[in-house]
Amino acid sequence: MNEISVNDRQAPVRIVGAGLAGCEAAWQCARRGVEVELFEMRPVRTTPAHQTADFAELVCSNSLKSDSENTAPWLLKEEMRRADSLLLRIARECAVPAGHALAVDRVTFAANVTEAISREGLIRVRREEVSSVAEAGAQITVIATGPLTSDRLAGEIARLSAGTSAAEASSSSAIDIAALEALRQPKASNPHLYFYDSISPIVEADSIDMSRVYMAARYDKGSADYINCPMTAEEYGQFYDALLAAQSVEERDWEKLNYFESCLPIEEIARRGRDTLRFGPMKPVGLKDPRTGRMPYAVVQLRQENLRADSYNLVGFQNHLKFGEQARVLRLIPGLENARFLRYGQIHRNTYINGPALLRETLQMKAHPRILFAGQICGVEGYVESIATGLMAGIHAAGLALGRELVAPPRASAFGSLTHYVTHADAKSFQPANITFDLLPALEKKIRDRKERHRLQCELALRQFDEWAERTGVALVAGKA
Ligand SMILES: Cc1cc2nc3c(=O)[nH]c(=O)nc-3n(C[C@H](O)[C@H](O)[C@H](O)COP(=O)(O)OP(=O)(O)OC[C@H]3O[C@@H](n4cnc5c(N)ncnc54)[C@H](O)[C@@H]3O)c2cc1C
């Protein structure tokens, strides 16, 4: 590994966090001949969700979403492919069967990213926590510390967002936890927000009773890679009652849970109504049981976790229950009566800045243009979105280091739509977003057919993306691959 001593010469770009966004950003700088210092605090200091010291660890699901042509996640990945994304390339090399989605063997993925980054001569890795960021000075900084940014750096980001000078902050208690927590309250006037989201449980494959389940993909789209646990109305009722009665992990006072709507814990969904789960993670539509020819009352889907296919995760079953309670309740699911749990569901912090208030479309801070943000912390949600913003921040940071004019990706592209959202959404109620067609601009002509409309939006996006890539030299760099 290219570890250096603290006294070594400074590289022009400093990237904080060797997660999904940080690794991609570092790689993009190196591809342009720009030296990088990449800081990663693990294993010296860890986060509540990471389990290894590897870079680019996927902390929850192993899915990089749909790979079906002309879907929004596909479009984003296609642009990343055209821009020579390292992490996407590695993801494809260690893909596991997942129907129409791109899912990876998480261990191989993280190991291969760590290896590729460590072998790159222009990237120097430093295993230490960064707690201060200079807004002026020669070095360009990309902050890519993710949803679990360390408290000390979060305090520093709060200072930078609030426009306090470093001297003022060092004379006050910049890392005082109570003050930090106050800063994190989701108030419209505060640029530094926070809340929590969750991890879904994983079971050992050979502990699943395969006689009670069936393999299928929803609407038979892609190959039948998912294990489906069907429930009758009576079984669903028992499961539902047990779930509602189960004990949750206690939350501390300052941890008032403020869930991300698309990542709600199952017990929270259940509390919203008896049938809500059947329209959410337990929806049976498109999942006919081949043994009966009928659609079950409810279904729990399990997705393969690794290439060996010896573990499966319960799709969308993130929860905040005590571990013992999880084992008891989840074993009521047909097929999981004797399930052995490799990991239980959990809940964790999610830190992000108020992009619309703080960032330009090039992901530079408006107030401090030599500081860029990438990944979940800049206000996107999801693995692929984090990698994509890391890719863009890497291109822009390298451009700054090389003294080039920075050009943001075009609005019609998926890249441009993501950064447009992050920088133009309503700052008062800003929430991180996944890539969806809602973020892309509407077509000039109204097209009623949804599939055709999406196909045309993708066609336009890629055309504009290619023009931008050509004009900015992105295509040239990608062509070197
Ligand atoms: C519990 C949880 C579950 C999630 N599940 C999913 C999911 O299933 N699917 C999905 O698409 N997205 C999920 N996400 C959201 C998001 O996609 C991931 O968190 C993703 O890893 C974000 O990428 P990133 O590069 O922004 O951050 P990360 O991948 O977390 O990388 C940030 C890195 O910065 C390091 N770091 C933090 N502070 C410092 C510091 N001060 N100095 C140096 N290094 C530091 C961390 O150790 C880490 O390695 C989840 C998030 C959380 C928190």
Side-chain angles (χ1 to χ4, degrees), residues 37 185 247 420 429 475:
E37 278 175 290
Q185 295 311 307
Q247 265 188 303
H420 181 83
S429 54

Side-chain angles (χ1 to χ4, degrees), residues 198-376:
S198 351
I199 287 182
S200 52
I202 297 179
V203 295
E204 282 183 39
D206 65 3
S207 69
I208 303 169
D209 180 352
M210 296 303 283
S211 68
R212 301 214 57 192
V213 302
Y214 60 97
M215 305 294 296
R218 203 177 293 279
Y219 299 116
D220 296 324
K221 258 172 105 181
S223 44
D225 298 327
Y226 288 80
I227 292 178
N228 297 278
C229 308
M231 279 188 184
T232 60
E234 195 187 342
E235 286 164 338
Y236 177 80
Q238 280 165 4
F239 172 79
Y240 179 83
D241 292 336
L243 180 62
L244 276 197
Q247 265 188 303
S248 290
V249 173
E250 279 162 32
E251 53 188 86
R252 281 169 288 174
D253 256 6
W254 53 270
E255 283 182 335
K256 292 287 171 234
L257 300 180
N258 184 6
Y259 299 115
F260 184 46
E261 277 296 313
S262 66
C263 200
L264 287 175
I266 45 166
E267 68 276 17
E268 177 69 20
I269 301 176
R271 273 195 284 272
R272 296 181 178 192
R274 198 160 184 92
D275 277 330
T276 327
L277 283 169
R278 297 205 309 121
F279 290 93
M282 295 176 72
K283 75 173 173 232
V285 290
L287 287 173
K288 227 186 257 171
D289 186 339
R291 299 165 305 181
T292 61
R294 285 201 304 271
M295 191 174 78
Y297 189 75
V299 171
V300 177
Q301 286 204 298
L302 274 70
R303 182 169 51 220
Q304 189 176 322
E305 255 296 299
N306 55 14
L307 283 170
R308 293 187 305 279
D310 58 7
S311 57
Y312 279 78
N313 64 58
L314 278 71
V315 179
F317 260 56
Q318 53 269 31
N319 69 84
H320 193 220
L321 303 181
K322 288 188 170 165
F323 288 177
E325 293 286 85
Q326 287 189 44
R328 185 176 63 77
V329 174
L330 298 177
R331 285 189 184 127
L332 293 173
I333 298 169
L336 301 190
E337 293 85 350
N338 297 307
R340 286 190 303 275
F341 291 89
L342 288 170
R343 187 179 75 185
Y344 287 103
Q346 288 172 48
I347 197 145
H348 289 289
R349 201 181 76 205
N350 187 0
T351 308
Y352 64 97
I353 60 164
N354 190 338
L358 299 175
L359 297 182
R360 297 182 188 170
E361 272 176 280
T362 45
L363 302 174
Q364 296 167 275
M365 286 190 91
K366 290 174 186 166
H368 311 296
R370 293 178 80 74
I371 301 175
L372 295 87
F373 278 84
Q376 184 103 353

Side-chain angles (χ1 to χ4, degrees), residues 17 19-21 40-42 60-61 130 144-147 150 375-376 382-383 386:
L20 299 177
E40 171 52 56
M41 68 175 183
R42 291 176 294 121
C60 183
S61 135
V130 169
T145 43
S150 72
Q376 184 103 353
Y383 297 149
S386 295

Side-chain angles (χ1 to χ4, degrees), residues 15-23 39-42 45-47 49-50 54-65 126 128-131 144-154 197-200 263 303 346-350 374-378 380-387 389 434:
I15 295 176
V16 192
L20 299 177
C23 287
F39 288 79
E40 171 52 56
M41 68 175 183
R42 291 176 294 121
R45 183 179 281 270
T46 193
T47 78
H50 289 87
D54 277 349
F55 300 160
E57 183 183 327
L58 302 178
V59 288
C60 183
S61 135
N62 61 336
S63 168
L64 272 66
K65 305 231 183 84
R126 293 169 67 149
E128 56 187 89
E129 181 190 1
V130 169
S131 55
T145 43
L148 306 167
T149 294
S150 72
D151 275 346
R152 296 204 300 171
L153 185 62
D197 60 11
S198 351
I199 287 182
S200 52
C263 200
R303 182 169 51 220
Q346 288 172 48
I347 197 145
H348 289 289
R349 201 181 76 205
N350 187 0
Q376 184 103 353
I377 195 166
C378 81
V380 293
E381 168 67 29
Y383 297 149
V384 185
E385 291 80 353
S386 295
I387 302 171
T389 50
N434 295 116

Side-chain angles (χ1 to χ4, degrees), residues 15 21-34 36 38 83-87 89 116-117 119-120 123 390-391 394 477 481:
I15 295 176
C23 287
E24 185 66 46
W27 173 259
Q28 292 297 332
C29 285
R31 297 279 286 139
R32 288 161 175 79
V34 173
V36 174
L38 177 61
D84 188 30
S85 161
L86 170 73
L87 270 69
R89 181 153 27 101
I117 292 291
R119 267 207 327 251
E120 170 51 62
I123 303 173
L391 195 156
V477 176

